[in-house]
Amino acid sequence: MAPTILFAALPERWVQYEAPLRTALAEAGLAGATLVTEAAPETVDYIVYAPNSDVQDFTPYTRCKAVLNLWAGVENVAQNPTLTQPLARMVDAAGLTQGMVEWVTGHVLRHHLEMDAHIHGLNGEWRKTVPPLSRERPVTILGLGALGSACGTALAGLGFPVTGWSRRPKKVPGLRCLSGADGLDAALAEARILVLLLPLTDETENLMNADRLARLPRGAVIVNPGRGALIDDDALLAALDQGQIGHATLDVFRTEPLPPEHPFWAHPQVTVTPHIASETRPDSAARVIVENIRRGEAGEPFLHLVDRDAGY
Ligand code: NDP
């Protein structure tokens, strides 16, 4: 019997995703599937899911084989005690990953090339400052998953010495890969530019606290497209004011939208971007979702499953 797929996300997402999902279902030989935004829970085989949807209690979805997250971040669903079905997260090389590589590369190059000094700082004065080459600017990426590995590889390709840090030991060609507590200290000690691409879990919350910010080389730049709560906000503001951190480019925040009164908005050494580092792209993401549905129907293992104990 053809599966019933519930699309549980905000209505504006349905507008974006309905056609790409139907196309991908047809391409996968699943044109007979029922794709809906409302269904009796006991009839649903798969839930295409955004954590900000109305579905927060998974108990009635007794037939559901998998919950397929539209987002890479799962911190708002991984700990849901009613979720007993497998949970897959979004890994979308052609869309989400490519977007993140472009955003991270752009912001790293902005700081590496000291572009702000030329865009805003000359004020009519012919003053030459030549930035170093990439090989003289070590970059550290915390998180070597789908996004961190791709960003690290791209930056290494531009000549930056890239160190990556992950929970478990890992090898990524062209990168110095570290793990564990000692690995973190070593990764921070050399980071002239630090990129955060960790998931938010109990272990990573406030990872960049005052002590770890102090371990960075003086004047280091932080680029955070991971999650806001990876950084202790007050410690970051203090480190910026003391010159320990030279600049912070932040795409994600504890509260989003970032409240108008938050000091990050007005701080001269902070760049705020409104959680746009990378978006799930409907055409490619629909194919990722449908590949998992195809697998479920064929009895094959799902891709990109979340380790609920680890929280990501
Ligand atoms: P992955 O799950 O593929 O990778 C996570 C990485 O973090 C892995 O290398 C993992 O280690 C490492 N990690 C997790 N916990 C720890 C820990 N306690 N100590 C050290 N390393 C740890 O995630 P993605 O790369 O796909 O995404 C990363 C995050 O990016 C997402 O969770 C989300 O928060 C954020 N994001 C932000 C977007 C934006 O627009 N701003 C868009 C998309 C994602 P290991 O390899 O050992 O498992």
Side-chain angles (χ1 to χ4, degrees):
M1 208 174 90
T4 296
I5 304 160
L6 175 67
F7 187 86
L10 296 180
E12 55 262 37
R13 295 290 172 209
W14 176 240
V15 175
Q16 294 174 318
Y17 274 89
E18 182 184 2
L21 280 169
R22 291 198 192 283
T23 301
L25 285 166
E27 284 169 4
L30 290 164
T34 304
L35 176 65
V36 286
T37 54
E38 281 179 29
E42 66 279 7
T43 65
V44 171
D45 296 293
Y46 301 92
I47 305 178
V48 179
Y49 189 69
N52 61 356
S53 87
D54 290 340
V55 175
Q56 297 297 328
D57 179 6
F58 293 92
T59 318
Y61 294 90
T62 46
R63 201 168 93 183
C64 177
K65 295 179 198 163
V67 173
L68 307 170
N69 210 42
L70 284 166
W71 303 355
V74 291
E75 70 273 12
N76 293 331
V77 58
Q79 309 300 340
N80 185 324
T82 68
L83 179 62
T84 52
Q85 298 86 347
L87 171 66
R89 51 185 221 95
M90 179 52 64
V91 177
D92 168 24
L96 194 66
T97 306
Q98 177 63 21
M100 187 61 82
V101 166
E102 293 180 15
W103 188 90
V104 166
T105 304
H107 284 277
V108 166
L109 284 175
R110 167 194 169 192
H111 294 299
H112 165 61
L113 295 174
E114 298 158 13
M115 288 179 174
D116 292 18
H118 296 121
I119 294 169
H120 305 296
L122 289 183
N123 296 323
E125 188 190 339
W126 186 264
R127 182 165 29 89
K128 287 199 182 200
T129 51
V130 180
L133 290 174
S134 57
R135 63 172 176 260
E136 298 161 80
R137 183 93 68 181
V139 175
T140 286
I141 303 190
L142 302 187
L144 276 182
L147 301 178
S149 296
C151 292
T153 302
L155 292 170
L158 288 172
F160 291 98
V162 180
T163 297
W165 183 69
S166 55
R167 187 165 64 96
R168 297 161 292 191
K170 196 156 190 177
K171 284 191 180 148
V172 181
L175 273 58
R176 180 174 73 135
C177 297
L178 303 173
S179 59
D182 292 349
L184 179 57
D185 288 350
L188 294 178
E190 290 184 15
R192 298 276 304 283
I193 300 176
L194 178 72
V195 180
L196 303 182
L197 274 169
L198 292 163
L200 180 60
T201 67
D202 291 346
E203 281 185 35
T204 62
E205 186 167 7
N206 289 319
L207 185 86
M208 292 311 299
N209 55 21
D211 174 54
R212 297 214 175 85
L213 290 168
R215 289 172 189 269
L216 291 163
R218 189 164 178 80
V221 166
I222 294 183
V223 177
N224 184 17
R227 282 292 181 263
L230 298 173
I231 308 180
D232 177 334
D233 286 2
D234 292 338
L236 176 59
L237 286 164
L240 284 160
D241 291 340
Q242 292 152 11
Q244 167 58 15
I245 301 299
H247 196 101
T249 292
L250 309 174
D251 184 57
V252 282
F253 305 90
R254 281 166 197 274
T255 305
E256 295 182 6
L258 184 65
E261 66 280 8
H262 197 288
F264 284 157
W265 279 115
H267 199 291
Q269 264 76 50
V270 175
T271 300
V272 170
T273 62
H275 202 142
I276 46 79
S278 191
E279 267 279 318
T280 306
R281 312 288 159 144
D283 284 343
S284 49
R287 282 189 213 105
V288 174
I289 296 275
V290 168
E291 169 58 11
N292 258 342
I293 295 172
R294 187 201 65 74
R295 284 170 166 262
E297 293 306 283
E300 296 172 22
F302 292 114
L303 297 173
H304 319 309
L305 284 179
V306 171
D307 175 345
R308 306 284 297 281
D309 293 332
Y312 68 97

